[in-house]
């Protein structure tokens, strides 16, 4: 009961959690040992809109045929069950290194969810899932600097890891006090525009969709993150990896998959994300990655073993985001009082190759565009 009381205080006040150790986390990888992944149905994409501390997001990544890269995101956040706030974010990465990226982050008013919890509405903003569960439309006129009118359509099934997709936090797995879940549409076609000051940008091309739930304070759930989205002519590869703070045993959970049009080749939790070379960032002392290796491992439905690797130099970063300076005020409240918390996101989108081996078939080597994020929130090896 004493640990539970300390954890409840941490939830409300943002203070550091006690050290529970690895026994207080049930990784989705345990489910994936028997059910590596589950294909998503329409109901699996409902907004949960929790009434306790949580951050829930739907984020869409766009890779246009013309070389433009962008993201659009809805964030639904609850702070200690006291206040709910929502935000629409849009980022258009500049193709000119001498010009800044376009970043728009707008608080949303009069938020509503559809009766089935699949559609999100607010003043001048709508994100809707089609009746057949195969496409999303994203529309926003909240910021005249970036008027969004986009649509993505699945070209392969969606998935989450294991049966439930959930990693559970807490000393009693039957009554967890925290949850982490990521659901993916790993390969989509995109169409539509983002209208900026200079005119509309055509985003015909590829897209990735992720519905994510952090059902606890984000800095309690994870100390570091690695995210990669590889989009090639015929294959896509995605990975989401996080490492917990010492309070949960510095445990790493990695979800990923390899797909091609119409088919999930493999998906599950037997993957790894490694920074093979780093350099110190003088601004904040984080070890900024300069070279990476992402590795996937699993089996096809018919039992063929699959391995894949994407590795190499990242080149110049696209951006470095000081989260506490950029994100909405409600996130600042969530992490307030957390010792050692200084979240930064490093973003890159290099050209790299995916090397894919399926059973005894000849290795496939495919060049593509990668979007990669390395996020540092706190030192996973420090309990200070």
């Amino acid at each position: 009961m004493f640990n539970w009381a300390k954890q409840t205080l941490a939830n409300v006040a943002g203070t550091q959690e006690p050290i529970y150790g690895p026994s207080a986390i049930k990784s989705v990888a345990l489910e994936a040992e028997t059910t590596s992944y589950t294909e998503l149905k329409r109901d699996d994409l409902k907004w949960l809109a929790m009434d306790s501390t949580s951050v829930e997001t739907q984020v869409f990544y766009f890779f246009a045929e013309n070389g433009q890269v962008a993201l659009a995101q809805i964030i639904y956040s609850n702070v200690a069950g006291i206040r709910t706030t929502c935000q629409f974010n849009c980022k258009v990465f500049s193709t000119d290194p001498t010009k800044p990226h376009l970043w728009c982050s707008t608080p949303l008013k009069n938020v509503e969810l559809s009766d089935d919890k699949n559609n999100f509405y607010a003043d001048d903003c709508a994100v809707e899932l089609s009746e057949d569960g195969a496409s999303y439309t994203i529309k926003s006129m909240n910021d005249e600097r970036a008027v969004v009118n986009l649509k993505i359509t699945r070209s392969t099934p969606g998935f989450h890891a294991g049966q439930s997709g959930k990693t559970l936090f807490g000393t009693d797995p039957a009554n967890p006090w925290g949850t982490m879940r990521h659901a993916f549409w790993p390969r989509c076609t995109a169409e539509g525009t983002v209208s900026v000051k200079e005119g509309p940008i055509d985003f015909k091309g590829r897209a990735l969709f992720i519905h994510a739930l952090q059902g606890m304070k984000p800095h309690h759930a994870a100390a570091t993150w690695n995210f990669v989205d590889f989009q090639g002519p015929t294959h896509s590869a995605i990975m989401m990896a996080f490492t917990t703070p010492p309070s949960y045993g510095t445990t790493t959970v990695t979800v990923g998959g390899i797909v091609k049009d119409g088919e999930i080749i493999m998906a599950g939790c037997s993957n790894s994300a490694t920074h093979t070379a780093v350099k110190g960032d003088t601004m904040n002392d984080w070890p900024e990655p300069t070279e990476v290796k992402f590795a996937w491992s699993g089996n096809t439905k018919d039992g063929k073993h699959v391995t894949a690797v994407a590795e190499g130099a990242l080149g110049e970063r696209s951006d470095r985001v000081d989260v506490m300076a950029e994100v909405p005020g409600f996130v600042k409240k969530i992490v307030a009082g957390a010792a050692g918390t200084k979240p930064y996101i490093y973003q890159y989108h290099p050209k790299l190759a995916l090397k894919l081996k399926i059973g005894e078939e000849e290795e496939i080597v495919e060049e593509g565009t990668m979007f990669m994020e390395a996020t540092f929130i706190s030192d996973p090896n420090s309990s200070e």
Side-chain angles (χ1 to χ4, degrees):
M1 285 298 293
F2 182 58
N3 270 349
W4 181 271
K6 288 194 291 184
Q7 200 277 329
T8 302
L9 176 64
N11 274 349
V12 175
T15 55
Q16 192 166 8
E17 292 187 294
I19 302 297
Y20 302 109
S23 62
I25 181 171
K26 181 184 176 185
S27 170
V28 69
L30 296 175
E31 290 184 5
E33 290 176 359
T34 53
T35 302
S36 58
Y37 69 91
T38 300
E39 291 190 12
L40 301 178
K41 300 178 181 178
R42 195 174 190 274
D43 282 352
D44 295 317
L45 298 170
K46 290 181 177 180
W47 286 91
L48 294 185
M50 295 176 65
D51 58 6
S52 57
T53 297
S54 60
V55 177
E56 186 173 7
T57 69
Q58 288 190 344
V59 57
F60 305 82
Y61 297 89
F62 297 90
F63 302 86
E65 293 175 355
N66 58 24
Q68 292 275 178
V69 176
L71 65 86
Q73 179 184 39
I74 295 283
I75 304 179
Y76 189 110
S77 175
N78 188 301
V79 180
I82 299 170
R83 184 186 177 202
T84 297
T85 56
C86 297
Q87 200 90 4
F88 183 83
N89 295 334
C90 179
K91 185 170 188 175
V92 179
F93 289 86
S94 175
T95 56
D96 183 345
T98 67
K99 295 183 178 180
H101 307 303
L102 177 61
W103 167 251
C104 302
S105 185
T106 311
L108 298 177
K109 298 179 181 179
N110 298 317
V111 172
E112 293 183 3
L113 299 175
S114 59
D115 290 342
D116 63 5
K117 300 291 182 69
N118 280 124
N119 300 327
F120 179 99
Y121 302 101
D123 289 354
D124 297 320
C125 183
V127 177
E128 297 179 304
L129 179 62
S130 62
E131 285 298 322
D132 63 2
S135 64
Y136 272 100
T137 55
I138 309 100
K139 298 183 179 182
S140 174
M141 297 176 62
N142 269 284
D143 193 319
E144 62 182 11
R145 296 176 299 161
V147 176
V148 176
N149 185 8
L150 295 165
K151 179 181 179 180
I152 70 163
T153 303
R154 279 193 298 109
S155 53
T156 192
F159 74 90
H160 62 213
Q163 294 176 315
S164 69
K166 295 178 181 179
T167 290
L168 305 178
F169 296 76
T171 51
D172 179 3
N175 297 285
W177 58 55
T179 306
M180 185 81 79
R181 175 181 180 261
H182 290 86
F184 305 91
W185 284 6
R187 188 171 176 86
C188 307
T189 57
E191 58 186 290
T193 61
V194 177
S195 295
V196 299
K197 182 180 179 181
E198 294 77 14
I201 301 173
D202 185 0
F203 274 96
K204 179 183 179 183
R206 295 284 177 197
L208 163 73
F209 164 66
I210 304 174
H211 188 143
L213 172 69
Q214 295 184 53
M216 60 194 299
K217 287 182 179 293
H219 60 289
H220 288 170
T224 61
W225 290 88
N226 280 287
F227 163 61
V228 63
D229 174 20
F230 171 91
Q231 298 290 337
T234 57
H235 293 84
S236 297
I238 59 97
M239 189 185 299
M240 186 73 75
F242 68 92
T243 298
T244 70
S247 47
Y248 298 100
T250 316
T251 301
T252 297
V253 180
T254 307
V255 177
I258 308 288
V259 306
K260 62 181 181 180
D261 287 335
E263 179 185 348
I264 297 174
I265 297 172
M266 59 77 59
C269 297
S270 298
N271 315 295
S272 63
T274 307
H275 298 174
T276 53
V278 300
K279 64 180 180 181
D281 186 342
T282 56
M283 176 177 285
N284 52 43
D285 297 325
W286 288 127
E288 177 186 352
T290 57
E291 297 180 23
V292 293
K293 180 178 180 180
F294 295 97
W296 292 260
S297 179
N299 294 298
T300 64
K301 287 183 177 180
D302 59 1
K304 295 178 182 177
H305 186 58
V306 179
T307 58
V309 174
E311 61 183 326
L314 292 169
E316 290 298 316
R317 65 174 180 251
S318 300
D319 204 3
R320 175 184 55 201
V321 180
D322 178 352
V323 175
M324 295 301 283
E326 297 288 350
V327 299
F330 68 82
V331 176
K332 294 181 177 65
K333 293 180 181 178
I334 288 178
V335 300
T341 300
K342 50 176 183 178
Y344 277 80
I345 303 172
Y346 296 86
Q347 297 176 320
Y348 312 81
H349 50 92
K351 298 284 187 180
L352 285 178
L354 179 72
K355 297 179 180 179
L356 173 63
K357 190 79 168 62
I358 303 174
E360 299 302 316
E361 300 172 18
E362 185 176 348
E363 183 181 63
I364 298 167
V365 180
E366 185 167 317
E367 297 282 339
T369 297
M370 177 183 285
F371 181 83
M372 183 261 180
E373 290 184 337
T375 302
F376 299 93
I377 300 172
S378 61
D379 185 348
N381 300 308
S382 173
S383 59
E384 295 298 317

